Each structure stands twice: as structure tokens, then as C-alpha cells.
Amino acid sequence: GGEGAVKVEEGADFLLLTADITDVDLAKLFSAVDLDHNGSIDRDEFIECLRVLHIISGKKGDEYLDEITIEGETDEADADGNGTIDQGEFNEWFHDHLDQLGGSKVIFDAAGKITAVIEA
């Protein structure tokens, strides 16, 4: 590989974020975002997802994260208002944000953890 190439390790996989993404692929993305693997995404996991997918910049806890954006996105994704985001809510949120995400490539390691996101 040349300069700036992303090294994809053995056993790694990737998803292309497009309008025709399957529910199986969205389940894989959901699983990677659900860090404690309890079947739902809490606010902190969702903020990390927004950061990893380059919807917001900065690290968790940084002063310059736009709290209004975070609250708005979290509230929008959590359609039933129960404080967590389930697979169905995540899929709906994802499809609503394809304009921001479309064409990006998400790289996973062999364990299913997101290692990189390459923007379109």
C-alpha cells in the first residue's frame, strides 16, 4: 500500500454505507456500536457512534462537542423516548442520515470492532 492507505488485517471486513444496505449489515454496525452488548445503545455509546461515523467531531467529554447536536440526534434516534436506542430505532435513524453517511466505508477488525471509517 501507498502513503495513507488503511491496512486491513486478516479476517477484517468492511461495510459500504449506502441506501441499499441490508438489515444484516445494519445489525453488524449496531453490534459494533453496542459496546456493552446488552442489545441496546445508550447515550454514551450513541455519542461514540456519532463521533466514529464523523457526524460530530471531537472525543467524548471534549468541551467543543456540540451538545445541542448530540441531544437532538440522541432524541431523534430514541423514537420511543426510553433512554436507549434499539435495533429498529438505529436502522430508522441510519436511513434518515444517509445524506451524511452515504458512501462512507466502515472497516471492522476480526472481532467486529470498528477500526476505521473512510469517508466518501
Side-chain angles (χ1 to χ4, degrees), residues 29-31 33-36 38-47 49 74 78 82-87 89-90:
L29 189 58
F30 181 89
S31 179
V33 173
D34 179 17
L35 300 174
D36 60 8
N38 68 350
S40 63
I41 298 172
D42 65 25
R43 186 177 184 276
D44 287 342
E45 288 169 332
F46 191 65
I47 291 168
C49 169
T74 307
D78 180 19
N82 70 349
T84 60
I85 298 156
D86 64 25
Q87 180 76 63
E89 289 170 328
F90 181 79

Side-chain angles (χ1 to χ4, degrees), residues 8 11-17 25 28 104-109 115-116 118:
V8 179
D13 198 5
F14 70 89
L15 284 180
L16 200 55
L17 306 183
D25 285 343
K28 180 175 183 163
S104 292
K105 185 185 276 191
V106 180
I107 313 288
F108 298 92
D109 66 15
T115 56
I118 303 165

Side-chain angles (χ1 to χ4, degrees), residues 47 51 55-70:
I47 291 168
R51 192 182 69 73
I55 291 175
I56 56 174
S57 58
K59 290 183 172 54
K60 196 164 54 179
D62 281 358
E63 292 299 314
Y64 62 86
L65 275 189
D66 183 345
E67 282 296 324
I68 294 160
T69 302
I70 292 168

